[in-house]
Amino acid sequence: MNKVTRRSFVKNIGLGVGSAAILPTLVSFENSSLLSSIPYTGKKINIALCGLGRYANILAAGLQETEFCSLAGIITGTPEKAKNWKDKYQIPEENIYNYENFDEISKNKAIDLVYVVLPNGMHKEFTIRAAKAGKHVIVEKPMANTAAECKQMIDACNKAGVQLAVGYRLHYEPHHLEIQRLGQEKIFGPVRHIEASLGYNIKGMPADDWHFNKALSGGGVLMNLGVYCVQINRYVLGEEPVSVTAQFSPKTKPELFSEVEENISWQLNFPSGAVGTSTAASNCRADRFYAAAEQGFFELSPAMGYGPFKGRTSKKEFNFPVINQQAIQMDGISKVILDGNKLPNHISGEEGLKDMRIIDAIYKAAETGKKINLI
Ligand code: NDP
């Protein structure tokens, strides 16, 4: 499978490479504003990554493949990383901050946007500080520890007049645009049932990792991986759930998971009558999406990682080239901002808030054993 850059992906589509199956994706792709017809002036959105951990490294690599944004600054609490990143990415000294002097970024005209890639429990504070400094924000998923925190973040960005996006990389991914089309346009009739599960084996993760710390993580694997399953249900159906039931599984490593859940399963009920069942797991690998519709099915497996994905419907297989999801996502967001437009709802802070409301309800349902209504 070829790995293509954003540039070559767009070029390939323009050249008509690929089968008819790619065309519906192209339509959605254009709708995402990524390929806006407004002429490109050459200006880029200068991004500062905040928190230089595992995912920031992947984003930095993605930024090397972008056209509408660049890696211009960093915010880190680790001086050795500041030096290494400065050398590796030629970051000017004046664009390097730590968590204490971060607010001085307000005076720095060379930074347009702060990308918050910190532990979940720090998202709210740093999003609000970035907004007060007059910078646009992308915040990683899950948007915050709770829906109440998400609201404060949205309010702060609105008040400051800056845009707020959530790092939902799959919203730009062709297989995911295709399953949105298949579901929302009812290509196989109404979808009645969705199964979406994601799991990894945390074997080897140190006991002091923030993922096990409730204050820093907001919760366990539901926060980390389950948010993708919640999203996929919502965007395939194009509906918001009306109620939820949920169950924690017994812990297989209680010594690690003393503060947060290890595995959790839940069921979302939608207004059309569709039901979405999901499991997020920390002790087994799972990566699958399956939609059963009245006249057929469609599925992805693998479904929610960085690709390659494998798609299949009751009629045929469908596969698109592997793209750099992070590059496409950051370019997509940057282009909208450069064009002076408002970010589309599906990647905005409002979208993160919708997911967190559902996640809050899933936890409440698992804790109480009761069905929780969302309307
Ligand atoms: P890491 O633990 O690898 O990195 C987090 C970084 O945050 C640290 O390296 C550190 O950077 C900084 N930090 C500041 N304070 C703390 C603290 N008290 N404890 C730990 N780290 C601290 O986490 P990830 O990169 O895996 O995750 C960061 C965010 O990105 C999370 O919200 C996660 O959900 C999200 N994510 C998203 C993915 C996606 O596919 N969209 C994939 C993976 C993660 P420094 O040393 O520079 O201060």
Side-chain angles (χ1 to χ4, degrees):
M1 174 88 56
N2 285 341
K3 180 157 180 169
V4 294
T5 61
R6 178 203 174 276
R7 218 177 289 242
S8 64
F9 179 56
V10 171
K11 193 166 152 234
N12 283 346
I13 292 172
L15 288 171
V17 172
S19 66
I22 208 165
L23 291 174
T25 297
L26 175 58
V27 173
S28 315
F29 204 72
E30 281 177 323
N31 284 346
S32 76
S33 298
L34 186 59
L35 304 180
S36 161
S37 57
I38 297 174
Y40 177 48
T41 60
K43 159 121 179 82
K44 292 188 181 205
I45 294 292
N46 294 317
I47 295 182
L49 293 176
C50 178
L52 306 181
R54 290 164 283 219
Y55 196 55
N57 276 283
I58 294 172
L59 290 169
L63 278 162
Q64 308 313 305
E65 293 192 22
T66 52
E67 194 173 344
F68 302 118
C69 50
S70 66
L71 175 55
I74 49 176
I75 300 104
T76 176
T78 311
E80 307 90 88
K81 288 186 194 171
K83 185 178 175 334
N84 292 343
W85 280 62
K86 178 183 175 196
D87 295 345
K88 186 170 177 184
Y89 296 109
Q90 288 84 52
I91 296 172
E93 186 66 41
E94 62 272 21
N95 293 356
I96 300 176
Y97 297 86
N98 57 44
Y99 303 122
E100 286 71 42
N101 68 15
F102 171 61
D103 307 288
E104 290 171 20
I105 205 167
S106 62
K107 297 180 214 135
N108 191 336
K109 299 252 182 305
I111 307 287
D112 303 303
L113 184 150
V114 173
Y115 196 143
V116 179
V117 210
L118 292 161
N120 312 336
M122 300 171 76
H123 289 184
K124 182 188 95 172
E125 177 188 339
F126 282 84
T127 295
I128 292 175
R129 283 171 71 179
K132 283 187 175 161
K135 306 300 174 188
H136 300 297
V137 184
I138 306 176
V139 61
E140 255 318 309
K141 49 53 59 180
M143 184 170 159
N145 278 6
T146 62
E149 289 188 354
C150 295
K151 278 194 203 123
Q152 292 174 47
M153 292 154 76
I154 292 168
D155 289 348
C157 290
N158 285 342
K159 192 169 167 201
V162 298
Q163 302 229 39
L164 172 59
V166 182
Y168 284 142
R169 56 186 167 76
L170 292 173
H171 278 276
Y172 293 89
E173 202 288 322
H175 296 81
H176 283 258
L177 295 174
E178 176 65 355
I179 60 171
Q180 283 182 43
R181 184 186 75 91
L182 294 173
Q184 292 191 24
E185 294 183 15
K186 301 184 175 45
I187 301 299
F188 294 95
V191 173
R192 298 300 184 203
H193 183 66
I194 289 179
E195 291 170 23
S197 291
L198 197 53
Y200 67 158
N201 193 334
I202 51 92
K203 214 169 129 195
M205 192 180 268
D208 63 356
D209 190 279
W210 63 267
H211 285 91
F212 302 117
N213 175 316
K214 178 89 191 270
L216 284 173
S217 63
V221 69
L222 174 60
M223 297 289 282
N224 191 19
L225 302 183
V227 62
Y228 289 107
C229 304
V230 169
Q231 274 262 301
I232 211 168
N233 271 275
R234 291 180 48 237
Y235 59 64
V236 166
L237 291 167
E239 296 177 44
E240 298 301 325
V242 290
S243 64
V244 52
T245 48
Q247 308 78 34
F248 293 123
S249 305
K251 292 179 182 179
T252 61
K253 296 182 192 69
E255 67 287 1
L256 287 178
F257 292 93
S258 58
E259 295 188 22
V260 297
E261 81 280 0
E262 184 176 10
N263 288 13
I264 183 167
S265 301
W266 67 96
Q267 304 76 40
L268 302 176
N269 299 295
F270 290 88
S272 62
V275 178
T277 64
S278 293
T279 293
S282 305
N283 60 8
C284 61
R285 290 176 65 103
D287 186 4
R288 179 168 184 261
F289 159 82
Y290 182 91
E294 279 194 3
Q295 284 117 43
F297 70 83
F298 50 100
E299 66 177 356
L300 292 178
S301 181
M304 290 171 257
Y306 302 150
F309 299 124
K310 227 171 159 196
R312 191 162 75 101
T313 73
S314 37
K315 289 201 173 139
K316 60 176 186 192
E317 290 191 355
F318 65 96
N319 288 300
F320 301 111
V322 177
I323 57 163
N324 185 315
Q325 294 179 24
Q326 290 76 22
I328 298 269
Q329 171 214 325
M330 289 185 281
D331 254 352
I333 291 167
S334 298
K335 186 70 167 65
V336 175
I337 295 173
L338 286 170
D339 289 345
N341 292 330
K342 193 170 175 300
L343 287 170
N345 285 341
H346 62 89
I347 51 157
S348 68
E350 297 292 341
E351 181 78 1
L353 169 61
K354 283 181 188 166
D355 288 325
M356 279 313 303
R357 273 192 70 232
I358 297 166
I359 287 176
D360 285 355
I362 292 171
Y363 278 132
K364 199 167 166 197
E367 277 154 17
T368 60
K370 293 192 174 137
K371 179 160 105 175
I372 303 298
N373 289 322
L374 281 155
I375 48 167

